[in-house]
Every structure is written in structure tokens, then in C-alpha cells.
Amino acid sequence: MTKRALITGITGQDGAYLAELLLAKGYEVHGIKRRSSLFNTGRIDHLYRDPHEEDLQFRLHYGDLTDATNLLRILQEVQPDEIYNLAAQSHVQVSFETPEYTANSDGLGTLRLLEAIRILGLEKRTRFYQASTSELFGKVREIPQKETTPFYPRSPYAAAKIYAYWITVNYREAYGIYGCNGILFNHESPLRGETFVTRKITRAAARIALGLQEKTYLGNLDAKRDWGHAGDYVEAMWLMLQQEEPDDFVIATGETHTVREFAEKAFAAAGIALSWSGEGLDEKGRDARSGRILVEIDGRYFRPTEVEILLGDPTKAKEKLGWERKVSFDELVDEMVRSDLDLFRRDLACKKAGFDATPAIEDRC
Ligand code: NDP
Ligand code: GDR
């Protein structure tokens, strides 16, 4: 029997990798996309099939996690074997500006899906994956962080996600729903959104190396993150839903690096050696050869409350799921920089031919 999966947030980074993985495993994949005034399916357009074709393995439905009746209708129509709830307002800094919306989509959105499973009597049929996050650990009280480490959210995003975490646990215990929390640490890829720090840096390194941009502005260079590759992490999501019993798992690499270190590696991959001078808001990253300033600090990228260090212990995932990351930190940075160099080489070719391909958006990141 072909298994049917429903992915919320299918147009995002993880949604795109997971859709590819499930299609390769023979699943019928359904995704929820939001209506937007511009196309928002760039990451999954290569998977799109003409809806007039027979035996479609990939279908998109309009929907939104803030709309309960819409979710009920989609679940009733699709009758999924597995739901992967990846949809979220996923930007930590933006959550300080849109706290109520973030609570609605990231917190209550999860409740709406779980209630829809219950209302439709799908408790025994539908397995549920919740995209939980290392941001739950927030103000860290144990290093490395594992499944038993206490939570201490440090943003409206993390506060919303902690509700989603516990409501998933509660529906598992109260109604016997097969629900799992993947407590995933940061994971990146060439598909990462442009305003997250890794992609912002790899884009800037590529554009500066190609002469398309002068410099970039960053916030807290001392923050430490446990960065893995999204392709590896969606495998873990799938594995969690294939076990005999539902459970919650930390997914991480077991390594941590500062933002400064990520920037050094990314610029090096683009052929530029960075050297640092100054402190705090006056710190600058320069081209070690020419002395030209390439990185400056801008106070607006600092958060009202920061998560200083994340370092995960993925032992449980290794022992129970047989999961291990495959892509190293250096390979991840190299792949992202190579991809952005390719992207902007095309822009450069357009520019040389007299066309301005992509307007500079760096000041909006
Ligand atoms: P992205 O920001 O790339 O994707 C988020 C997805 O959610 C997009 O498809 C977006 O649609 C959709 N979305 C946002 N709001 C709504 C809404 N109200 N209704 C329906 N869809 C909505 O995130 P990632 O792919 O990086 O992350 C996937 C999930 O995992 C998120 O829940 C995130 O919080 C969580 N997570 C991510 C980690 C990471 O490092 N990437 C680590 C731990 C957890 P649109 O394209 O239209 O904007
Ligand atoms: P994060 O990712 O908040 O960890 O959330 P992000 O890449 O936004 O920030 C990582 C760290 O870098 C510091 N930083 C900057 N961040 C951004 N965005 N822009 C900057 O210019 C900048 N300069 C320094 C931040 O302060 C922070 O310490 C991501 C998201 O994918 C969440 O959805 C997910 O839950 C967590 O990872 C795990």
C-alpha cells in the first residue's frame, strides 16, 4: 500500500528536502502552501506535476495553520498516514516583532492539527511529527543539551514552540496519538532562507568575492550554534515516525561553532581570508590582504534576549533510530558558498550583458 504523507510548510527549506525524500521512498506526498501575491513554491517547483496527470504522487493544497476549518477539510480529504508539521513563523528575531502571530501559527497551529486528527477519528491511523527546536533550551543550563535538559525559552518563537512541544506530548498521552517531537538543532543548506545568519553570510561572501557587494552587517558574532545539514535532518524526521513507539529525540551534530567562525570559513571558501579587529559594536572583519572592511556590526541584529550557546547530544537518536549526520560542518559551508557563487555568477553575467538581474536585498536581511 502506498503511504500518504501530509507536509505543512512544504514550501520551506525542510519541506522541500522532506518532500524529495518521501517521494523517493514511494510516498504520495501532499503539501499545504499559503496563498501569496507572488509565487512561493521556488524550492519545490521541480517536483510539481500537471494536476491533469493520472496517479499524481505530489499534490499541493491551499491552507494556513491559523485556519482550523481549512486544516480539518484537508485532513479529511487526504486521510494521511503521516503528518509532518513543519509550518511556522520560524525566524526568532521576527518573533519579537510579531509575537501574537507567532503564537497563533507555531503554538495554536499545532493544536489545530492535533484536534483535527481527533475530531476526524484518525488517532489510530495518522502519525504526527512536530518540528520542535533547540531554541526550547534557550538560556542553557546544561551543556551539551539532551532530551532531559530543562527548557528555558528566550523568545516569543521559543515560547510558542514550547506550547507545541507539550501539546504534542499531551495528545500522545491523553489520546494515544503517535506523536513525536524532533528537537532539531540548527540545520542549513543552499535552500536556507536568506535572512538566517548562515545563508546571509554565504550570500554576502559570494557577492563580495564577485564584486557585487561591498560589505555585510551582522549582529552577535559570539553566538554559538550546532549547525548540521537539512538533508540529514529530514531523514531523522522520517525515522521517528517509523518506530514501534512514539518518542522525542534531539537531532544535532555534537559540535558547536561561533557565528564568527562560520563567517571565516564561508569567506575562505569564496577565496577571501578574513581578519578581525576591534571589539563589540566596533569589531570589523577585513580582507587580510587589502585591509578592506567586509563585515561590520549593526546593533539592530542583536536580539532583546539571546541564546548564547547551543550544543546537542544526539546519542539517543543514534542508539534508537540509528541516525547519524553525514555532512560535516566544513562540507556544509562549502556547499552553501559554492551554490551562492553559482547563483550570483549568473547575476554577474546578466550585469555584464547590461541587465540588472537581482536587486540588492542585503539591507533587508
Ligand atoms: P522555513 O522558514 O524555511 O519554512 C517555514 C514554512 O512554514 C514555509 O513553507 C512557510 O510558508 C510555512 N508557514 C509559515 N507560516 C505558516 C502558516 N501560518 N500557515 C501555513 N504555513 C506557514 O523553515 P525551515 O524549513 O527551516 O524549518 C521547518 C520547521 O522546523 C519550522 O517549524 C521551524 O520552526 C522548525 N525548525 C527549524 C530549524 C532549522 O534550523 N531550520 C531547527 C529547528 C526547528 P511560506 O513559504 O509561504 O513562507
Ligand atoms: P536561530 O538562527 O535564531 O538560531 O534560529 P539565525 O540564523 O537567525 O541566528 C543564529 C545566531 O546568529 C546570530 N546572528 C544573526 N542572526 C541573523 N539572523 N542575522 C544576523 O545578521 C546575525 N548576526 C548574528 C543570532 O543572534 C543567533 O545567535 C534558527 C531558526 O531556523 C529557528 O526556526 C530554529 O528553531 C533554530 O534555528 C534552531
Side-chain angles (χ1 to χ4, degrees):
M1 278 279 286
T2 304
K3 273 197 185 172
R4 212 174 292 146
L6 175 66
I7 305 176
T8 74
I10 197 163
T11 57
Q13 170 188 255
D14 291 6
Y17 278 98
L18 182 64
E20 271 200 16
L21 178 81
L22 296 181
L23 286 169
K25 289 186 184 295
Y27 277 66
E28 181 179 310
V29 174
H30 294 253
I32 297 184
K33 68 167 176 176
R34 297 195 286 181
R35 193 271 156 182
S36 85
S37 67
L38 291 170
F39 288 126
N40 60 355
T41 52
R43 293 183 176 107
I44 49 169
D45 280 344
H46 60 293
L47 305 175
Y48 180 81
R49 295 282 169 279
D50 183 337
H52 303 99
E53 279 178 25
E54 280 179 20
D55 295 330
L56 272 187
Q57 292 302 304
F58 182 72
R59 288 165 210 248
L60 296 179
H61 307 256
Y62 279 109
D64 199 297
L65 282 199
T66 60
D67 181 344
T69 52
N70 153 267
L71 296 175
L72 256 176
R73 187 180 48 73
I74 294 172
L75 259 68
Q76 187 173 38
E77 195 181 315
V78 174
Q79 300 276 315
D81 300 295
E82 295 171 11
I83 296 177
Y84 296 86
N85 182 30
L86 309 185
Q89 189 304 91
S90 72
H91 203 285
V92 174
Q93 186 154 18
V94 171
S95 79
F96 287 96
E97 290 172 41
T98 60
E100 184 183 335
Y101 173 71
T102 304
N104 194 359
S105 53
D106 300 15
L108 289 179
T110 306
L111 173 69
R112 291 184 185 106
L113 284 168
L114 289 163
E115 267 299 285
I117 291 176
R118 214 162 70 86
I119 291 166
L120 296 169
L122 293 171
E123 297 97 324
K124 294 283 165 275
R125 172 181 182 143
T126 304
R127 295 186 167 201
F128 183 78
Y129 172 86
Q130 170 57 22
S132 285
T133 163
S134 51
E135 285 293 299
L136 298 178
F137 298 120
K139 193 166 176 181
V140 157
R141 288 181 285 174
E142 185 177 32
I143 298 175
Q145 297 94 48
K146 47 184 184 285
E147 291 78 3
T148 50
T149 302
F151 296 146
Y152 191 138
R154 292 273 281 173
S155 62
Y157 166 78
K161 285 279 188 178
I162 209 167
Y163 175 79
Y165 174 95
W166 283 117
I167 203 67
T168 302
V169 172
N170 181 247
Y171 272 53
R172 178 167 79 209
E173 293 173 354
Y175 307 116
I177 291 176
Y178 186 111
C180 299
N181 283 290
I183 308 171
L184 270 52
F185 282 60
N186 298 55
H187 46 279
E188 321 294 312
S189 74
L191 298 185
R192 185 58 144 155
E194 290 88 348
T195 62
F196 296 98
V197 77
T198 53
R199 186 76 197 289
K200 181 174 170 183
I201 291 171
T202 60
R203 280 170 57 94
R207 288 171 58 85
I208 290 169
L210 295 172
L212 288 163
Q213 186 178 326
E214 286 286 308
K215 60 169 112 161
T216 190
Y217 294 88
L218 296 173
N220 181 10
L221 296 178
D222 296 318
K224 288 182 152 183
R225 289 291 182 273
D226 179 330
W227 279 297
H229 194 294
D232 287 347
Y233 285 42
V234 297
E235 287 257 8
M237 295 176 190
W238 176 76
L239 282 168
M240 280 179 223
L241 294 199
Q242 314 310 313
Q243 306 305 305
E244 278 190 11
E245 296 296 329
D247 205 347
D248 309 317
F249 293 91
V250 158
I251 302 298
T253 69
E255 263 178 48
T256 193
H257 301 271
T258 59
V259 171
R260 189 184 288 99
E261 221 177 313
F262 190 99
E264 279 166 19
K265 289 249 182 240
F267 276 83
I272 300 168
L274 272 187
S275 72
W276 304 92
S277 61
E279 265 181 43
L281 288 173
D282 291 326
E283 181 163 3
K284 299 200 179 353
R286 296 170 195 271
D287 182 329
R289 263 174 299 182
S290 67
R292 197 158 68 83
I293 296 170
L294 307 181
V295 180
E296 286 203 56
I297 307 302
D298 183 336
R300 77 186 155 127
Y301 297 118
F302 285 77
R303 292 154 189 199
T305 40
E306 174 67 291
V307 172
E308 299 294 347
I309 172 166
L310 290 174
L311 171 61
D313 174 358
T315 305
K316 181 175 168 186
K318 186 174 178 191
E319 287 175 355
K320 296 207 165 159
L321 303 176
W323 179 87
E324 268 184 296
R325 65 101 174 249
K326 298 189 188 90
V327 181
S328 70
F329 178 68
D330 286 4
E331 287 166 343
L332 170 68
V333 180
D334 275 354
E335 183 185 338
M336 290 178 73
V337 173
R338 254 186 292 116
S339 166
D340 280 329
L341 280 168
D342 283 350
L343 182 70
F344 292 115
R345 277 195 190 107
R346 287 198 286 275
D347 271 17
L348 193 62
C350 288
K351 207 173 174 187
K352 281 186 178 151
F355 303 104
D356 233 351
T358 317
I361 60 159
E362 303 318 316
D363 60 340
R364 281 183 257 151
C365 288

